[in-house]
Amino acid sequence: MEKIVVTRPVVIKVRLTPAYRERLLLRLAHAMELAERELKRMEAEIQQLRARGVAAGDLRALETQRREKLVARDRLRQQHESIKLLPLGTELIQGRTESLVEVGVGDESRRLGPLEIVIEEDKIVAVREQGF
């Protein structure tokens, strides 16, 4: 066997521009708003159940979900603030995928290494081999 097709990891990055920063901030603000609404709904539900005399033990699961939602909302707030502070041109990981590469006897081993694809303003601006 002289050649074989294998997969290799690909990291997709987006270069931070003013327009992309604004999109990210809007997306995070929307997610924070949804989390806040869900928290208010959960708090109202907990208060209604307490008013009905439901035992604290029976509310444990709902209160655990509420705490998890608080942590998630706070994480979104931290991301929102950190995006504001990042310098333009910073490359942010948007996702990961895999690509196929054909390799054979005598090829350089760096061809098996990960790739990076960099996107700026919805266009691919760089494809980089990371090598080993």
Side-chain angles (χ1 to χ4, degrees), residues 11-128:
V11 176
I12 300 170
K13 294 182 172 183
V14 178
R15 196 169 287 153
L16 188 63
T17 63
Y20 187 66
R21 181 191 319 251
E22 192 59 35
R23 265 190 280 165
L24 275 178
L25 292 174
L26 286 172
R27 204 175 302 149
L28 287 167
H30 180 69
M32 286 188 301
E33 183 180 316
L34 291 176
E36 196 65 46
R37 276 192 229 150
E38 181 66 12
L39 278 167
K40 286 180 182 176
R41 184 198 62 75
M42 293 174 94
E43 288 167 2
E45 186 176 346
I46 289 170
Q47 286 182 0
Q48 286 175 353
L49 292 171
R50 283 187 183 143
R52 284 195 231 148
V54 173
D58 296 335
L59 294 174
R60 228 177 252 130
L62 190 56
E63 288 176 344
T64 299
Q65 287 177 343
R66 183 183 155 280
R67 280 192 296 278
E68 289 170 357
K69 189 61 82 171
L70 276 169
V71 168
R73 182 203 58 195
D74 291 344
R75 194 175 316 123
L76 288 168
R77 281 184 180 163
Q78 289 172 346
Q79 288 176 348
H80 192 271
E81 290 306 310
S82 67
I83 295 293
K84 287 180 185 178
L85 300 175
L86 284 175
L88 295 176
T90 300
E91 293 177 0
L92 305 169
I93 295 176
Q94 185 179 38
R96 298 176 192 281
T97 189
E98 293 183 340
S99 71
L100 299 174
V101 61
E102 184 178 66
V103 293
V105 175
D107 287 345
E108 293 183 26
S109 64
R110 70 179 173 81
R111 295 197 60 215
L112 297 171
L115 264 178
E116 282 184 355
I117 297 175
V118 181
I119 300 170
E120 185 176 332
E121 299 299 328
D122 297 323
K123 294 203 183 336
I124 295 173
V125 294
V127 177
R128 304 177 190 139

